């Protein structure tokens, strides 16, 4: 695996693990329960209707609410990181490699500067 793809995979994994709790909260799976009028409440309603009025233990809605209330277990974080790393490598690797240091700086911001610095350290990546 070339260095650019490795950088993108690591960034994708870290971003996915860091963003997962915020995504859960934004969807309505919070420490205080499922938020009224949220995506989570719609999912809970649909699951309850499909299950005869209750939410089955171990269902997707129950698992997401448990993660929203108590945090994401380490095993689930590993899976989320693996998915984020795979997506990062598949999408970000070619973008970083084809952009090189100049393109990364053009994307702007701290991330663009960091990517360009790493690209300079390892030499301009080639796809």
């Amino acid at each position: 695996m070339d260095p650019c793809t490795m950088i993108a995979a690591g960034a994708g994994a870290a971003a996915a693990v860091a963003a997962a709790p915020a995504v859960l909260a934004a969807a309505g799976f919070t420490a205080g329960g499922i938020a009224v009028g949220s995506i989570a409440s719609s999912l809970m309603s649909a699951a309850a209707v499909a299950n005869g009025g209750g939410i089955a233990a171990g269902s997707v809605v129950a698992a997401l609410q448990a993660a929203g209330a108590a945090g994401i277990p380490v095993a689930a974080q590993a899976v989320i990181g693996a998915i984020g790393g795979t997506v990062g490598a598949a999408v970000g690797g070619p973008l970083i490699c084809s952009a090189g240091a100049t393109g990364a700086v053009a994307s702007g911001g701290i991330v663009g500067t960091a990517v360009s610095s790493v690209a300079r350290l390892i030499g301009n990546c080639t796809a």
Side-chain angles (χ1 to χ4, degrees), residues 14 21-22 28 89 95 102 113-114:
L95 290 175
T102 306
T113 304

Side-chain angles (χ1 to χ4, degrees), residues 13-61:
V17 171
V23 170
L24 279 175
F29 297 103
T30 68
I34 291 180
V36 175
S38 65
I39 293 169
S41 67
S42 296
L43 291 172
M44 183 178 178
S45 175
V49 169
N51 198 36
I55 302 297
S59 69
V60 172
V61 173

